[in-house]
């Protein structure tokens, strides 16, 4: 069983930060950021909370889908940057959108969040005949936990939201969800305080660097090495399940972290770059939002059309990775 993406929506924060703006906080320059990452600007949430951006994207997706909010059976929000530990962003969005008959929960698979959430939605649709539509919302305010003194990480990320309404269908579908937690310490930020003097009695090694407190810590080189393998591997694992190859795919919609990662993965897959949707130049790395945001844009501008086969591929903190192959 597959899914049909009925409608999508997005929300972009009002504030834009260019590469030049970062020279006010850290020693950097536009040329370094552009050539090493492909990013020229990104949106930054100002007054907008995560749930607000998610709600706006969700309302647009519901309108585009042409459905009644009361017919939504479940709201899944993926985010690594919720405004609250509890309640979930999904519960707030469920209320704001009038999805009065829906369940709601958040899911955190970092930058692979949308892939995990969409695949979770499909599984609910498959096993619950009463469930007609599911609203999947990716929403992130990464700027609120960036370390603006760390030039190697703060220039990479951006904020925003994107959402999709899905229903079950018999269209082509395959997925794979994976995690390699041995790299958990390479990309992390703490939520609760852990007093340094508290010795944790555990049989497990603590992989988290001391500097990874409440701001985002990233070992860029290790994450890069992981990403250039995770992207092709996710596609190949999902493709193998249904006996197709990269030649059968019309568009690859990868997580938008760094254009060099996409270029390297494209080479490994033997797929030309013009089959990859790339939008990171204007938005940076928006974590779980990046795949649905790129998908939304490509649908809006007519690049992706109905009936085409897509590969949505994510990778990120966890270290999580995964892919979905579907017919749009
Ligand atoms: O969604 C989560 C997934 N995250 C990712 O996919 C991120 C993966 N990692 C990367 O994309 C890259 O590793 C970075 C973009 C983070 C870094 O690029 P790099 O080509 O690996 O640079 P580097 O870390 O090797 O640094 C090269 C130099 C260093 O200077 P020295 O030691 O050679 O003098 C850095 O200090 O560039 C310096 N540098 C900068 N210079 C100007 C690091 N950041 C900056 C900066 N501006 N913003």
């Amino acid at each position: 069983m597959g899914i049909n993406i009925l409608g999508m929506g997005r929300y972009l924060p009002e504030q834009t930060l260019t590469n030049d703006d970062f020279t006010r906080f850290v020693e950097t320059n536009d040329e370094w950021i552009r050539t090493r990452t492909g990013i020229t600007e990104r949106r930054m949430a100002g007054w907008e909370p995560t749930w607000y951006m998610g709600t706006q994207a969700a309302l647009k997706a519901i309108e585009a889908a042409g459905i009644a909010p009361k017919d939504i059976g479940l709201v899944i929000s993926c985010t690594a940057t919720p405004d609250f530990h509890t309640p979930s962003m999904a519960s707030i969005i469920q209320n704001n959108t009038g999805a009065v008959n829906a369940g709601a929960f958040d899911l955190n698979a970092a930058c692979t969040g949308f892939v995990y959430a969409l695949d979770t939605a499909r599984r609910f649709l498959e096993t619950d005949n009463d469930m007609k539509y599911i609203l999947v919302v990716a929403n992130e305010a990464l700027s609120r936990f960036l370390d603006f003194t760390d030039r190697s990480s703060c220039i990479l990320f951006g904020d925003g939201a994107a959402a999709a309404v899905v229903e079950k269908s018999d269209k082509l579908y395959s997925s794979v969800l994976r995690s390699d937690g041995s790299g958990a310490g390479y990309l992390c930020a703490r939520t609760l305080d852990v007093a340094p003097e508290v010795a944790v009695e555990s049989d497990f090694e603590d992989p988290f660097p001391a500097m990874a407190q409440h701001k985002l810590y990233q070992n860029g080189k290790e994450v890069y090495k992981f990403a250039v393998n995770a992207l092709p591997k996710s596609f190949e694992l999902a493709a193998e399940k249904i006996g197709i190859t990269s030649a059968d795919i019309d568009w690859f919609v990868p997580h938008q972290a760094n254009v060099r990662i996409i270029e390297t993965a494209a080479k490994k897959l033997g797929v030309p770059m013009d089959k990859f949707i790339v939008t990171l130049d204007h938005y940076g790395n928006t974590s779980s939002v990046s795949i649905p945001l790129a998908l939304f844009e490509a649908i809006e501008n007519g690049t992706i059309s109905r009936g085409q086969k897509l590969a949505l591929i994510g990778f990120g903190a966890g270290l999580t990775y995964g892919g979905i192959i579907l017919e749009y």
Side-chain angles (χ1 to χ4, degrees):
M1 197 208 88
I3 51 170
N4 182 36
I5 299 175
L6 269 172
M8 295 193 72
R10 72 163 180 198
Y11 179 83
L12 295 167
E14 289 171 1
Q15 189 179 205
T16 297
L17 242 61
T18 65
N19 290 345
D20 281 337
D21 289 330
F22 279 84
T23 58
R24 299 204 308 263
F25 323 121
V26 285
E27 205 182 315
T28 189
N29 56 77
D30 174 58
E31 210 240 328
W32 191 98
I33 301 173
R34 262 189 303 106
T35 54
R36 297 289 182 120
T37 70
I39 300 164
T40 55
E41 58 184 10
R42 70 289 286 145
R43 299 298 182 97
M44 292 269 154
W47 60 273
E48 302 110 315
T50 300
W51 63 258
Y52 176 84
M53 296 190 283
T55 298
Q56 291 299 331
L59 287 169
K60 288 183 192 118
I62 294 167
E63 196 188 337
I67 61 152
K70 68 172 176 41
D71 292 332
I72 296 170
L74 185 63
V75 180
I76 307 175
S77 149
C78 47
T79 184
T81 51
D83 301 296
F84 305 100
H85 290 297
T86 192
S88 68
M89 300 297 93
S91 283
I92 301 172
I93 295 165
Q94 172 269 314
N95 183 52
N96 290 346
T97 54
V100 290
N101 296 312
F105 64 87
D106 281 4
L107 175 159
N108 180 353
C111 305
T112 323
F114 188 73
V115 170
Y116 270 68
L118 205 59
D119 197 49
T120 303
R122 188 195 70 85
R123 288 163 199 275
F124 271 95
L125 288 167
E126 187 174 23
T127 55
D128 186 341
N129 284 332
D130 291 337
M131 210 162 272
K132 212 166 161 193
Y133 306 118
I134 295 184
L135 172 64
V136 179
V137 189
N139 36 173
E140 303 282 4
L142 289 143
S143 61
R144 300 222 165 85
F145 82 154
L146 290 180
D147 176 355
F148 281 97
T149 65
D150 176 11
R151 68 178 179 172
S152 69
S153 65
C154 71
I155 50 100
L156 298 173
F157 297 94
D159 302 333
V165 174
V166 296
E167 63 178 355
K168 70 175 93 173
S169 91
D170 54 9
K171 289 182 185 177
L172 174 93
Y173 188 95
S174 178
S175 66
V176 65
L177 305 179
R178 292 281 176 100
S179 170
D180 176 6
S182 69
Y186 293 146
L187 188 44
C188 52
R190 286 186 190 281
T191 49
L192 304 179
D193 280 320
V194 178
E197 65 276 13
V198 177
V200 181
E201 295 277 341
S202 164
D203 294 337
F204 299 102
E205 198 186 324
D206 179 357
F208 302 101
M211 62 269 221
Q213 289 299 322
H214 301 288
K215 296 292 179 194
L216 187 77
Y217 163 81
Q218 175 172 254
N219 181 330
K221 279 200 185 345
E222 288 297 337
V223 177
Y224 192 96
K225 277 195 273 176
F226 153 76
V228 294
N229 288 319
L231 206 166
K233 184 175 171 183
S234 298
F235 171 72
E236 279 158 2
L237 289 171
E240 237 169 56
K241 286 188 181 181
I242 49 172
I244 65 164
T245 69
S246 56
D248 298 309
I249 300 298
D250 294 293
W251 294 105
F252 287 80
V253 189
H255 170 48
Q256 313 276 316
N258 184 330
V259 75
R260 291 192 294 137
I261 293 174
I262 301 175
E263 285 165 355
T264 308
K267 261 192 208 125
K268 284 192 181 193
L269 284 168
V271 174
M273 266 304 277
D274 58 13
K275 276 205 164 192
F276 281 76
I277 304 290
V278 179
T279 58
L280 58 83
D281 47 337
H282 293 302
Y283 308 121
N285 177 346
T286 53
S287 191
S288 69
V289 178
S290 87
I291 292 174
L293 185 58
L295 185 58
F296 173 91
E297 279 213 359
I299 293 168
E300 280 286 293
N301 67 24
T303 304
I304 290 177
S305 46
R306 289 283 176 192
Q308 290 190 319
K309 294 184 185 67
L310 314 178
L312 316 181
I313 307 171
F315 53 86
L319 299 168
T320 55
Y321 57 108
I324 293 176
I325 293 168
L326 56 76
E327 182 185 323
Y328 173 60

